[in-house]
Amino acid sequence: MTQPKPPSQIELGTDPQAFLDRYWQKAPLRIPGALPGFRNPLSPEELAGLACADEVEARLVLERAGARPWEVRHGPFQERDFTTLPETHWTLLVQDVDKRVAPVGALREAFRFLPDWRIDDIMVSYAPEAGGVGPHVDHYDVFLLQGLGRRRWQIQRHPSLEWVPSLDLRILARFEAEEEWVLEPGDLLYLPPGVAHYGVALEPCMTYSIGFRAPTHRELVSGWMEQQVLAVDPESRYCDPPLRSSADPVEIGADALERIREILTEALRWDEDTLARWFTAFVTEPKPGLGGVPPRRPLKSATVHRRIRNGAALRPEPACRFAVTGARNGYRYLAVDGRSYSYPDAWHSALRPLCAGGVVPAGVFAPFLDDPAFVALLTELYHHGALHVGHEPG
């Protein structure tokens, strides 16, 4: 596959900052030829093969010829499931393909003018002629990259959020197309949250949907509160402030309410470090079926040290989510699959390439190998399946 251009050179029709200022979370934008020289990195047969794997999230959407209109079938599938499909009006969708197929994962590089933690996954869909999933709304930003064939997209900026009842999908009951484009391979369509869109395959086609994380406020508050609850001493209990004889025993007094307020305020206090550590862990929680798999044979820190000294490269596991904070008081937080680690800012030149993905040569780590704590961190990442340590040369 031809690698995408660096993010500063992606053909957005404008420079990345101008795109962010004018369009990001504001307005749709069609970008013809956004990836010049683009070659479809995955065949329909390979996508179908992924959909047959136990750990892969996959769906078949049948607009017609199913048990009911817009029937959704969930994987894993078997080969015979595809041989019985009609010739038209169906779609196969597979989530998180970027974490399983390296050439698809490489497409993320074209979007790295945006923060890594915001990119959720690349979903890949295949549809024969007339295939689609109906007019719908996403509540997150999405780039739709055409990989194979042609697809017609129609949009409505401010749809009425009324759904067709009794369907497996949330399909808009009323959709009035305001604009329409036909995307060809290498073309890109950006859609901000809340814009209704309806894509229909004009011929057998594949679309790569680069979706962005947008946790709800309820998810954020729930995640934060869960972390705070775990930090509370389970043996601590309510005790009274100095009591006076109660004028009315059925009434909760103001002094008791004040005591409750003090307990909750103490439990829910936070600072920038606590917030940073929690949030990096929160945004790297892996989806079911993804994340690192611990190795069969653990390695001692001394073995990891020796392998890197002897030239072994390191490679982060593509199925893992990595995130890192900015420096604060000389330290940063690294989180991998929901686990958070504190490290000195001086290590950042070595650990940042692991967060960026790809093979990292041993020389990057050489300046820090005399620090046992640094090697211990690499070893722990290896034991969690987040890091692969290459074999010694020869």
Side-chain angles (χ1 to χ4, degrees), residues 10-337:
I10 186 174
E11 302 292 341
L12 288 168
T14 181
D15 67 88
Q17 188 57 54
F19 167 80
L20 294 173
D21 293 340
R22 297 173 190 170
Y23 298 101
W24 183 250
Q25 300 194 326
K26 301 179 184 71
L29 178 65
R30 174 185 174 239
I31 311 164
L35 296 180
F38 171 80
R39 297 179 184 176
N40 186 41
L42 191 68
S43 71
E45 293 76 16
E46 290 170 324
L47 185 68
L50 277 176
C52 295
D54 289 340
E55 69 278 8
V56 172
E57 182 183 350
R59 293 168 290 160
L60 270 171
V61 175
L62 283 78
E63 180 180 355
R64 304 176 184 175
R68 54 196 173 278
W70 296 109
E71 179 189 359
V72 178
R73 300 174 183 174
H74 295 273
F77 299 106
Q78 297 182 3
E79 185 176 348
R80 65 173 177 267
D81 293 319
F82 299 108
T83 60
T84 59
L85 290 171
E87 293 185 3
T88 63
H89 292 87
W90 59 268
T91 300
L92 171 66
L93 306 106
V94 182
Q95 302 286 155
D96 292 288
V97 180
D98 54 309
K99 302 172 184 68
R100 306 182 187 281
V101 180
V104 176
L107 293 174
R108 294 170 64 108
E109 290 296 320
F111 302 93
R112 297 191 73 190
F113 58 94
L114 295 157
D116 283 350
W117 75 266
R118 285 282 274 119
I119 299 179
D120 188 12
D121 78 327
I122 298 180
M123 180 186 74
V124 183
S125 66
Y126 170 80
E129 181 182 351
V133 296
H136 64 283
V137 171
D138 293 326
H139 298 289
Y140 51 85
D141 303 271
V142 64
F143 286 97
L144 299 164
L145 172 65
Q146 194 62 23
L148 176 73
R150 297 177 303 142
R151 183 183 289 273
R152 183 185 67 240
W153 287 102
Q154 298 173 317
I155 67 164
Q156 182 181 2
R157 283 178 168 78
H158 303 290
S160 174
L161 298 183
E162 300 174 20
W163 317 107
V164 178
S166 304
L167 295 183
D168 292 348
L169 297 173
R170 298 189 81 183
I171 293 179
L172 291 169
R174 291 184 292 171
F175 176 77
E176 299 177 4
E178 299 171 349
E179 292 186 72
E180 176 178 310
W181 305 279
V182 173
L183 266 60
E184 299 186 356
D187 292 351
L188 195 65
L189 177 62
Y190 164 70
L191 296 173
V195 173
H197 48 290
Y198 184 21
V200 177
L202 301 181
E203 58 199 32
C205 77
M206 295 181 71
T207 300
Y208 296 75
S209 301
I210 299 91
F212 288 76
R213 294 198 69 176
T216 65
H217 290 186
R218 177 173 290 188
E219 289 170 332
L220 289 170
V221 172
S222 175
W224 171 254
M225 294 296 290
E226 180 180 354
Q227 187 242 212
Q228 293 296 85
V229 167
L230 292 175
V232 175
D233 181 357
E235 301 302 321
S236 296
R237 292 181 178 272
Y238 173 85
C239 62
D240 289 312
L243 288 179
R244 296 182 179 182
S245 179
S246 183
D248 186 351
V250 304
E251 183 178 288
I252 298 176
D255 52 353
L257 291 175
E258 176 61 19
R259 180 71 183 118
I260 296 300
R261 186 192 68 79
E262 291 173 356
I263 293 171
L264 295 179
T265 300
E266 175 69 17
L268 298 178
R269 73 177 189 275
W270 60 278
D271 54 44
E272 294 296 333
D273 285 343
T274 304
L275 180 65
R277 183 159 202 161
W278 164 75
F279 188 66
T280 54
F282 176 82
V283 297
T284 60
E285 282 286 348
K287 298 178 184 178
L290 291 170
V293 177
R296 296 179 180 177
R297 297 178 59 187
L299 296 178
K300 295 181 179 179
S301 289
T303 304
V304 172
H305 181 280
R306 185 182 71 251
R307 287 191 175 185
I308 299 174
R309 280 285 189 210
N310 289 347
L314 302 186
R315 179 175 62 86
E317 168 53 48
C320 291
R321 296 187 68 98
F322 288 74
V324 65
T325 65
R328 179 178 172 83
N329 299 323
Y331 281 82
R332 294 175 183 259
Y333 290 110
L334 165 70
V336 184
D337 284 354

Side-chain angles (χ1 to χ4, degrees), residues 334 343 347-356 365 374 377-378 381:
L334 165 70
Y343 68 89
W347 295 0
H348 190 58
S349 62
L351 295 180
R352 185 195 177 282
L354 293 178
C355 297
F365 307 97
F374 178 79
L377 175 57
L378 296 183
L381 293 177

